[in-house]
Amino acid sequence: MSDQELVTLNVGGKVFTTRSSTLKQFAGSRLTRMLDGRDKEFMMVGGQIFVDRDGVLFSFILDFLRTHQLLLPTDFSDHLRLQREALFYELNPLVGLLNQEHMLQPRPALVEVHFLSRNTQAFFRVFGSCSKTIEMLTGRITVFIEQRSAPASSSNSLPPQMTLLPLPPQRPSYHDLVFQCGSDSTTDNQTGIRYFVI
């Protein structure tokens, strides 16, 4: 196969077209062996080389092969999965970059909180740039609703007991969560109070 020849890869359903020379830059890599016909795990299907791996992550690998730079989006959080893919393709320079300590450190996530207050209720909606941050916050925020329990017997003059029932925050999408606190009117005209703890 000539170095200038175009190659089409189907990586996990995503199609990429590039030059053979782009993929063969690192002589010891699986990509070089694939193009030389020495790695039988890859097969030709409909004029495309099929690779049963993650196509989204391969786009970063191909960008690295084209530019010799690792440029990732600011909200990229799959460093370990990308490192696993680089190991699979045996791209040692990329593995070396991903092994650098600062690459594996979690990046600070941007969080935006919207607050709406109506009478005696407050609604919170938290948006985050990283779904893992929102998942972590969801695990740390607990909303409790106050529920009155009726006395055991009608002759008992003790006031009703209060019980706090936990409610999980709502997750409308991977990047946000919603919860409310304050007083709640129930169907039987009793007022319940919602508290939250972080």
Side-chain angles (χ1 to χ4, degrees):
M1 179 176 285
S2 145
D3 282 351
Q4 295 303 312
E5 189 174 333
L6 294 181
V7 178
T8 301
L9 302 173
N10 179 335
V11 183
K14 289 186 66 89
V15 177
F16 301 91
T17 301
T18 190
R19 293 197 170 148
S20 171
S21 58
T22 301
L23 297 175
K24 294 171 77 172
Q25 291 179 62
F26 302 104
S29 75
R30 288 190 83 174
L31 294 170
T32 298
R33 293 196 308 273
M34 170 188 70
L35 293 179
D36 291 343
R38 294 181 285 136
D39 195 323
K40 302 301 178 193
E41 182 172 336
F42 306 101
M43 61 186 105
M44 188 70 76
V45 177
Q48 301 174 345
I49 299 173
F50 179 72
V51 182
D52 192 16
R53 301 298 289 190
D54 189 308
V56 173
L57 292 176
F58 187 76
S59 67
F60 299 115
I61 290 172
L62 186 57
D63 186 60
F64 169 77
L65 292 172
R66 289 174 173 155
T67 65
H68 294 245
Q69 296 177 23
L70 182 58
L71 301 172
L72 300 171
T74 55
D75 64 343
F76 187 78
S77 61
D78 283 336
H79 292 90
L80 293 175
R81 289 183 58 226
L82 182 58
Q83 182 182 43
R84 183 182 65 206
E85 293 300 295
L87 285 166
F88 172 81
Y89 293 110
E90 298 174 18
L91 294 167
N92 295 331
L94 180 54
V95 171
L97 277 175
L98 289 166
N99 277 335
Q100 291 177 8
E101 188 174 330
H102 74 277
M103 290 298 293
L104 296 175
Q105 294 295 325
R107 295 174 183 223
L110 300 175
V111 176
E112 181 179 332
V113 178
H114 291 255
F115 171 75
L116 174 65
S117 179
R118 289 188 194 155
N119 298 330
T120 58
Q121 290 183 329
F123 295 90
F124 294 88
R125 183 168 209 150
V126 181
F127 297 92
S129 64
C130 176
S131 61
K132 288 183 179 181
T133 301
I134 295 299
E135 190 174 310
M136 181 268 306
L137 283 172
T138 302
R140 291 188 181 183
I141 295 173
T142 307
V143 178
F144 295 95
I145 189 163
E146 189 178 83
Q147 185 178 45
R148 297 176 192 261
S149 54
S153 69
S154 58
S155 63
N156 194 342
S157 61
L158 294 174
Q161 296 293 320
M162 296 298 214
T163 306
L164 293 178
L165 299 175
L167 298 171
Q170 299 170 8
R171 293 281 307 269
S173 76
Y174 289 111
H175 291 282
D176 62 340
L177 66 95
V178 177
F179 60 97
Q180 75 178 65
C181 63
S183 60
D184 234 1
S185 292
T186 59
T187 54
D188 55 2
N189 289 329
Q190 291 184 343
T191 301
I193 308 275
R194 288 180 186 239
Y195 305 92
F196 75 93
V197 178
I198 297 179

